[in-house]
Amino acid sequence: MKTADQIKTVAIIGNGLMGQGISQVFSRAGKDVCLIGRNADSLSRAMGAIEKNYAAFVDRKVTPRDVAEGAFAKITPTTDYDAASSADFVIEAVPAVRETQIEVFGRLDAVCAPEIILASTSGQPVSLMVGQMNHPERAIAAHFVYPAQLMPLVEVCGGEKTTAEVVKLTCDFLRSVGQTPALMDKEVDGFIVNRLQFAIIREAWSMWANGIASAEAIDTSMKLTLGRRYAVTGPIESAELGGLDIIHMFGEFLFPALDNITAPPQAVTDLVKNGHFGLKTGKGIYDWSERDGQALLKARADRLFQHLAEDAK
């Protein structure tokens, strides 16, 4: 098995939003990237999106134009699945449909040499995807967070049959390209980030659906308090800075009152059933005809770029 600095070529299966962002992560780190997509049209759109993403780095003076152009040139789009066979590291980034993922890992297992690591970025236990593999010991989860080109963290989790060598090399390789691996000790649905995210979403939706507070009040409360705090200290650090005894006592009081529903509130389900998906349809919990969604997206990107610049220092 190669060392991290010997990995020169990365193949990415899937050219959607995650595949696009991951391609940028590796290409800007100097790796040759083979982006494998379903058809020429989708690959063309993907390459256009990646080029636009690189332009955002140039516009914000994070990356010089010549460097961005050179990195973009290191990405080669193709519909040839067998092109993965020449890669030193392979990442699956297809839609999170279990049957598709099992098939993809089976095909990759057949065309890639046994020592090549096969990673999934789906954020789901990789043990569920290895049913057609002869070498499941080289399968691992490497879950990038959207937007991958701006988020430095990657959740890493081995499966039931993944070797310690594969786990270590994956973490070493991610560090070598500027990413921060968050190594998990046990497989669990959703991994770390999504479990934290959906715990917050569940309570936020519940408070809105039950008339406790408006969406504006809930979002403002998050942005002007926890959102600022958690950029510096994680939830466990925050609790210990505040005093574990105090937070534990309040937890005894509050935990029984928190919502433990096992499905989204009916009010949110009704919105989805009626085709109200949020910004992309113009309406969700918010009426986006009365809000500037594009400005909000830009503000979020600007803040993520600011964090990225701070990370670089």
Side-chain angles (χ1 to χ4, degrees):
M1 188 168 288
K2 296 184 177 182
T3 61
D5 61 347
Q6 292 174 326
I7 298 176
K8 307 297 184 183
T9 304
V10 178
I12 299 170
I13 317 300
N15 60 334
L17 292 175
M18 291 306 297
Q20 295 164 19
I22 296 169
S23 294
Q24 189 171 344
V25 168
F26 289 116
S27 62
R28 76 184 182 212
K31 307 302 177 182
D32 292 317
V33 176
C34 176
L35 182 59
I36 301 174
R38 187 171 296 178
N39 56 64
D41 288 342
S42 67
L43 280 167
S44 178
R45 291 192 297 271
M47 293 299 289
I50 296 169
E51 188 171 27
K52 184 177 179 180
N53 287 340
Y54 264 121
F57 275 67
V58 174
D59 292 342
R60 289 172 172 83
K61 303 187 186 307
V62 175
T63 305
R65 184 175 300 279
D66 60 332
V67 174
E69 290 174 349
F72 178 72
K74 296 186 77 65
I75 304 173
T76 302
T78 181
T79 58
D80 181 10
Y81 214 95
D82 289 345
S85 64
S86 60
D88 301 320
F89 193 91
V90 180
I91 297 181
E92 167 268 316
V94 303
V97 177
R98 187 62 40 73
E99 294 77 11
T100 301
Q101 292 170 318
I102 292 173
E103 179 186 357
V104 166
F105 271 90
R107 291 182 65 182
L108 291 173
D109 192 56
V111 301
C112 297
E115 69 273 11
I116 301 301
I117 293 174
L118 306 182
S120 170
T121 192
S122 69
Q124 299 179 30
V126 75
S127 293
L128 301 176
M129 307 174 197
V130 300
Q132 296 181 12
M133 294 182 66
N134 291 321
H135 298 284
E137 70 280 357
R138 42 95 164 257
I140 191 168
H143 179 221
F144 286 73
V145 180
Y146 177 82
Q149 72 274 14
L150 296 177
M151 292 292 196
L153 185 128
V154 183
E155 296 172 310
V156 176
C157 188
E160 296 174 358
K161 299 180 180 179
T162 309
T163 65
E165 183 181 16
V166 166
V167 174
K168 182 181 184 304
L169 178 53
T170 299
C171 290
D172 289 346
F173 179 51
L174 289 170
R175 291 190 190 96
S176 77
V177 298
Q179 298 298 106
T180 299
L183 180 60
M184 297 179 60
D185 299 321
K186 183 187 299 185
E187 288 186 305
V188 63
D189 291 344
F191 292 178
I192 301 168
V193 174
N194 275 325
R195 291 178 78 91
L196 292 172
Q197 176 178 227
F198 276 85
I200 293 171
I201 288 175
R202 177 168 63 182
E203 193 61 35
W205 278 352
S206 174
M207 288 190 289
W208 170 77
N210 287 294
I212 294 171
S214 67
E216 290 86 350
I218 294 167
D219 282 337
T220 300
S221 296
M222 182 72 187
K223 289 186 288 188
L224 297 187
T225 60
L226 299 180
R228 295 185 177 188
R229 183 189 300 166
Y230 287 164
V232 181
T233 58
I236 295 177
E237 287 177 324
S238 291
E240 302 214 345
L241 288 178
L244 195 57
D245 54 336
I246 297 171
I247 302 301
H248 179 270
M249 180 176 62
F250 200 78
E252 288 183 316
F253 157 73
L254 187 58
F255 277 16
L258 296 176
D259 207 326
N260 62 356
I261 53 176
T262 57
Q266 189 60 46
V268 178
T269 300
D270 289 343
L271 286 171
V272 173
K273 286 183 177 178
N274 290 321
H276 302 311
F277 303 152
L279 177 60
K280 64 183 178 181
T281 61
K283 188 180 185 307
I285 293 174
Y286 287 112
D287 182 351
W288 287 94
S289 67
E290 301 176 355
R291 296 167 61 88
D292 192 342
Q294 295 307 312
L296 191 57
L297 286 171
K298 182 180 183 303
R300 183 177 71 174
D302 287 343
R303 183 56 60 90
L304 292 177
F305 271 107
Q306 181 180 340
H307 284 303
L308 204 64
E310 293 170 355
D311 292 341
K313 294 178 182 179

